[in-house]
Amino acid sequence: MKSSILFITILLLGTVSRADAQEILSLEHAIEAALEYNYNIQISNIEQDKASNLVTRGNAGQLPSISVNSDLNWSYSDLELTPGSFFQKLLNPEGGEGQSPGAIKFDGVSSTSFSAGLGTQFVIYDGMKGRIRYRTLETGSDLASLQHKQEMENTVLVITRNYVQAVTLQKAIELKELAMEQSRDRYRVVETRREYGQASEQQLLQALADLKADSTEYRDLVHQYENAYRDLHSAIGWDRREMVSLDDGILSMDMPHYDDLLLSMYENNTAINVRERRIEQAQIEREITKADFLPTITAGAQYGYTYQFATEGQFETQEQLGFMGGISLKIPIFTGGRNRTASQYAKASLRQEQIRYDDSEQQLRTQFDNTWNRLLHLENRFTTERDNLAVYERNYERAKDSFGQGLITGVELRSAQLSLQNARLRISETEFQIKLTETTLLYLSGGLLISSQ
């Protein structure tokens, strides 16, 4: 029997200590590190930069295009020429009647043409599509910024949840260590009484079984804590393997009033802001489909050099150097119904985004009210549990004294011990859940990043 208690004592002494001479990882430090190292945040930051770089007048098609154009063509073909009035006048300059020359045939004519020049093209009018496309790019950039903010908020919320889970387990381990110390004291007392014939074998076995049960639960908690700690580091984006203590002194915040938080949710909630930008995008897309029904006026100009050479034919060589420009007009008359279909599709998409906005708003309001009520419930429960703790402590101390005097059994002492342990654990868990609920409320109201900075 003594060898069993010796084995358990060695096992407990060999357990990894988490607090001695180690640094402490606070929740604020974990959030700061996640905002810097989290992979999803890094990706969304790049997406934000990409969307911002697209917001230019050139990408919207509002600036002229200037390019150097060059062509080189070669052909080999049979050629047949029938002289027209120009050649008839050359053959008969007096204007008299003469026999018109017949067609002239050339076999295997080789011709080469080359052109080079500087050209430009500019859209004068296209139903204001350029301005509309620029607004689309601006809205896309705003949407990318909101999505980056949303990713940061989600990360802060995930880090807080993981931290609360890990620190809850850390606190449970500390309470279980205290419970094991109490169980060891009880076992020593029963073992001493057994030596003097004041306790039965059953009482000693029961004390040992309770001590072993505490030891098993302790190891299970350590295992859960290590997994939760690794999950926390993974969410942060660290590749660290060492484990340090977590700060269990998480303080509750002074939360704003319900009405202030609700108003902030409607104004600053990122999910609602994203839905608003989606509606704006759908409205712009509908404007573009309307512009497809309007005419397009395009201006173009080029200054360049052209050279043509043929082995046989009308002209042996031809060169041209100068300016050429013009304006083109395109009026859509019939497109096979594509413009009408696109307009109907854009109208339906706009209606979809409006419905999604209403749905998101309703769900957020429900989630907000549920979270607020949960916060009130947790605060009331915390106050009650904290007030009741003194009762459990007095009950255990009295049971401990009574057990020492042999007035009660070890089972009754064990019951008082577990009641005290559970009361302390409920207080700890409730306090951490209050912190998590407050964080969720700030997340819903759009002020989570402000409070985290």
Side-chain angles (χ1 to χ4, degrees):
M1 194 66 63
K2 292 184 178 179
S3 61
S4 298
I5 189 62
L6 179 61
F7 168 75
I8 294 175
T9 304
I10 294 175
L11 176 64
L12 297 178
L13 291 177
T15 305
V16 178
S17 176
R18 301 169 311 281
D20 296 339
Q22 289 185 351
E23 61 176 319
I24 295 178
L25 175 62
S26 66
L27 175 59
E28 291 73 16
H29 185 197
I31 291 175
E32 291 176 359
L35 294 178
E36 180 179 359
Y37 297 105
N38 182 268
Y39 295 117
N40 291 332
I41 290 181
Q42 295 182 47
I43 293 173
S44 65
N45 188 36
I46 295 175
E47 290 294 333
Q48 180 184 13
D49 292 340
K50 288 165 57 178
S52 178
N53 292 334
L54 290 176
V55 186
T56 63
R57 297 291 178 179
N59 284 329
Q62 292 184 279
L63 300 179
S65 61
I66 301 176
S67 60
V68 175
N69 306 316
S70 179
D71 294 301
L72 176 63
N73 299 303
W74 178 84
S75 65
Y76 181 83
S77 60
D78 296 332
L79 182 64
E80 181 176 337
L81 297 175
T82 301
S85 59
F86 174 78
F87 291 98
Q88 291 179 10
K89 289 182 179 181
L90 289 177
L91 295 174
N92 190 4
E94 300 297 333
E97 295 182 0
Q99 185 177 2
S100 175
I104 306 173
K105 296 182 179 181
F106 300 95
D107 296 331
V109 178
S110 176
S111 62
T112 304
S113 64
F114 170 78
S115 65
L118 183 66
T120 182
Q121 190 174 24
F122 180 71
V123 177
I124 299 177
Y125 178 79
D126 60 352
M128 301 298 178
K129 286 184 181 179
R131 294 184 180 180
I132 299 174
R133 284 192 293 266
Y134 187 76
R135 287 170 50 200
T136 301
L137 296 174
E138 287 183 320
T139 305
S141 178
D142 294 340
L143 182 60
S145 298
L146 286 173
Q147 289 173 335
H148 179 61
K149 176 187 174 185
Q150 190 173 41
E151 191 63 53
M152 294 174 67
E153 290 176 337
N154 291 336
T155 300
V156 172
L157 189 60
V158 169
I159 294 300
T160 303
R161 287 174 178 171
N162 288 5
Y163 192 95
V164 166
Q165 180 182 4
V167 78
T168 300
L169 291 169
Q170 177 179 277
K171 190 66 175 181
I173 291 174
E174 295 175 1
L175 293 176
K176 183 56 68 175
E177 288 175 345
L178 178 60
M180 285 191 298
E181 181 62 32
Q182 294 169 347
S183 296
R184 282 195 295 271
D185 291 341
R186 172 190 163 197
Y187 178 83
R188 295 189 189 100
V189 171
V190 174
E191 187 179 34
T192 302
R193 289 179 179 178
R194 174 61 179 165
E195 292 177 356
Y196 290 96
Q198 298 176 353
S200 65
E201 181 73 16
Q202 176 63 34
Q203 291 176 331
L204 184 61
L205 290 174
Q206 183 63 51
L208 180 60
D210 292 337
L211 180 56
K212 287 186 175 182
D214 287 340
S215 176
T216 300
E217 292 177 4
Y218 177 83
R219 290 195 299 271
D220 289 341
L221 287 173
V222 171
H223 173 69
Q224 296 176 32
Y225 172 77
E226 291 174 350
N227 289 343
Y229 196 93
R230 282 189 288 267
D231 290 340
L232 173 62
H233 272 219
S234 178
I236 292 175
W238 277 343
D239 189 21
R240 297 185 180 181
R241 299 300 176 186
E242 70 277 8
M243 299 180 64
V244 300
S245 297
L246 303 180
D247 183 11
D248 57 6
I250 300 178
L251 301 178
S252 297
M253 296 171 284
D254 294 330
M255 297 298 294
H257 191 267
Y258 172 87
D259 294 334
D260 296 332
L261 283 173
L262 185 61
L263 179 61
S264 177
M265 185 193 75
Y266 285 117
E267 293 179 352
N268 303 317
N269 181 271
T270 308
I272 290 182
N273 295 153
V274 168
R275 287 299 176 196
E276 290 173 345
R277 291 298 182 275
R278 295 291 188 189
I279 292 176
E280 186 176 348
Q281 281 186 328
Q283 291 172 337
I284 294 174
E285 185 63 29
R286 190 180 180 189
E287 292 181 20
I288 291 179
T289 59
K290 290 181 179 179
D292 289 335
F293 291 95
L294 300 177
T296 301
I297 302 176
T298 306
Q302 178 171 318
Y303 182 86
Y305 169 77
T306 302
Y307 172 82
Q308 294 179 333
F309 168 79
T311 55
E312 295 179 282
Q314 184 177 0
F315 299 103
E316 190 170 302
T317 60
Q318 183 177 349
E319 292 183 87
Q320 183 179 0
L321 176 65
F323 171 83
M324 179 179 64
I327 297 177
S328 64
L329 172 65
K330 179 182 179 181
I331 302 176
I333 298 177
F334 178 73
T335 61
R338 291 193 302 272
N339 289 349
R340 183 180 68 254
T341 302
S343 179
Q344 294 173 348
Y345 182 88
K347 183 178 180 181
S349 298
L350 176 59
R351 180 55 183 157
Q352 282 181 320
E353 294 299 335
Q354 291 171 339
I355 294 175
R356 291 190 181 105
Y357 175 85
D358 295 337
D359 179 52
S360 298
E361 187 180 59
Q362 185 181 56
Q363 291 186 20
L364 282 171
R365 178 59 188 272
T366 301
Q367 186 180 2
F368 179 85
D369 288 338
N370 290 342
T371 307
W372 178 263
N373 289 335
R374 174 171 172 77
L375 177 61
L376 298 180
H377 167 71
L378 289 173
E379 289 177 343
N380 291 332
R381 190 174 78 179
F382 178 76
T383 301
T384 302
E385 294 289 351
R386 187 177 54 186
D387 294 340
N388 292 339
L389 179 61
V391 177
Y392 291 103
E393 290 175 341
R394 290 197 303 270
N395 179 56
Y396 175 74
E397 291 299 329
R398 180 170 298 179
K400 184 178 178 180
D401 292 340
S402 298
F403 178 75
Q405 299 173 15
L407 300 177
I408 63 173
T409 64
V411 175
E412 293 174 303
L413 177 61
R414 176 68 172 178
S415 177
Q417 174 194 1
L418 293 178
S419 296
L420 176 59
Q421 175 185 330
N422 292 334
R424 289 171 172 170
L425 189 59
R426 286 195 300 270
I427 292 176
S428 174
E429 291 177 347
T430 303
E431 186 176 17
F432 295 146
Q433 288 301 316
I434 288 175
K435 176 64 176 182
L436 180 57
T437 306
E438 290 174 342
T439 303
T440 304
L441 275 175
L442 291 176
Y443 168 79
L444 295 174
S445 65
L448 182 57
L449 292 181
I450 297 177
S451 64
S452 301
Q453 294 176 352

